[in-house]
Amino acid sequence: MSSVAAPQKLEKKPVKFSNLLLGAGLNMFEVTTLGQPLEVTKTTMAANRGDSFAAALGRIWSRGGVLGFYQGMIPWAWIEASTKGAVLLFVASEAEYYARSYGAGDFTAGITGGISGGVAQAYATMGFCTCMKTVEITKSKLAAAGVKPPGTFATFMDIYRKEGVRGINKGVNAVAIRQMTNWGSRFGLSRLAEQGIRNATGKEDGTPLAAWEKILASGLGGGLSAWNQPIEVIRVEMQSKTVDPNRPAKMTVSNTLKYIYSQNGVKGLYRGVVPRIGLGVWQTICMVAMGDMAKTYVEKLTGDKVTAKH
């Protein structure tokens, strides 16, 4: 009589300190190097949709030379970079576990975890960070009018006094939609590209991909996930300090979409897509190419085996 294999016991993935440290470290490196300059360029083009790429670079340079490309990095981009990974890991782990408990397969459970983690990132930490970064980048219009812009924390407190928590989280719904679609599409497109590489190289049997193949697959996933650029342009417009009598007084995702379309057409909804693709590729290089080196260092530092995938 043949024995029937016992069903595999469902276990929740542990969220280790070493995983959180690795994620925070890689994110901090990414944003402090090329990440923030690409973010500033993307945001400037989305906020000033009549500018060419060269004009946007000139506008950023006029805000302080090289330092203009790092506007909004301290403290907002650093806060976001050091916390969003932890939020993602905690929430994605829980969501993936419960999806599996209801019978979802690996692919569906993974996407469920990624989407849930992305939405949680938006409401827990990225909402107010992206809002304040955008305010920092777009408030230069005050300087152009001859008014000295207030400092970072003075701006934060002024918005909080006038509009409360809702004010510093302006555009958070757009951030949530962006993160949700980002994680879902990045995951799916990267897996699709990975399968294509396996078919092309004869590695369908599960042979591990080489480092450059991982980078290529993830880079394609990261770059192609910029299809949702319209929601990013909407997010920037909702959070920007631009003064325009034609803008809706109370901005929502839908009326901001109508406003941008009426002013700049379909083309306006894709302003800043090139630096955003570059940002996606750079994030991939940091996470994949540098992940193994960082993983070894973190394991030596904490004495804890890193189990997170990067």
Side-chain angles (χ1 to χ4, degrees), residues 234-255:
I234 291 167
R235 189 273 303 172
V236 170
E237 187 61 45
M238 289 177 75
Q239 295 175 340
S240 77
K241 298 295 282 182
T242 304
V243 177
D244 182 351
N246 296 317
R247 289 178 93 207
K250 188 175 180 182
M251 302 192 86
T252 64
V253 172
S254 59
N255 66 21

Side-chain angles (χ1 to χ4, degrees), residues 23-37 39 69-86 125-126 128-130 132-133 152-153:
L26 289 171
N27 278 316
M28 288 287 284
F29 175 81
E30 174 268 313
V31 77
T32 308
T33 49
L34 285 178
Q36 190 62 11
E39 177 74 28
F69 288 89
Y70 287 90
Q71 204 165 12
M73 185 175 77
I74 302 173
W76 310 115
W78 277 4
I79 293 172
E80 180 186 325
S82 60
T83 57
K84 67 182 182 181
T125 181
M126 291 184 72
F128 78 90
C129 286
T130 56
M132 291 311 300
K133 283 193 298 181
T152 293
F153 287 106

Side-chain angles (χ1 to χ4, degrees), residues 51-66:
D51 285 2
S52 64
F53 184 69
L57 294 179
R59 185 186 292 272
I60 297 165
W61 186 265
S62 70
R63 295 200 292 253
V66 174

Side-chain angles (χ1 to χ4, degrees), residues 11 15 22 47 97 107 122 136 156 162 169 180 201-202 205-206 274 290:
E11 291 183 1
V15 178
L22 176 65
Y97 171 77
F107 185 76
E136 283 290 303
F156 179 84
K162 289 179 181 176
N169 277 283
M180 180 177 70
T201 57
D205 58 350
V274 173
M290 298 173 191

Side-chain angles (χ1 to χ4, degrees), residues 158-211:
D158 184 51
I159 295 172
Y160 183 74
R161 278 193 293 268
K162 289 179 181 176
E163 304 174 62
V165 174
R166 182 171 291 188
I168 59 174
N169 277 283
K170 195 176 290 180
V172 70
N173 291 336
V175 176
I177 296 169
R178 184 195 71 180
Q179 289 303 102
M180 180 177 70
T181 52
N182 259 3
W183 279 103
S185 59
R186 269 195 191 197
F187 184 96
L189 291 168
S190 294
R191 293 296 174 273
L192 198 63
E194 194 174 295
Q195 190 56 49
I197 291 169
R198 286 189 179 281
N199 293 338
T201 57
K203 292 182 177 177
E204 296 98 330
D205 58 350
T207 304
L209 295 179

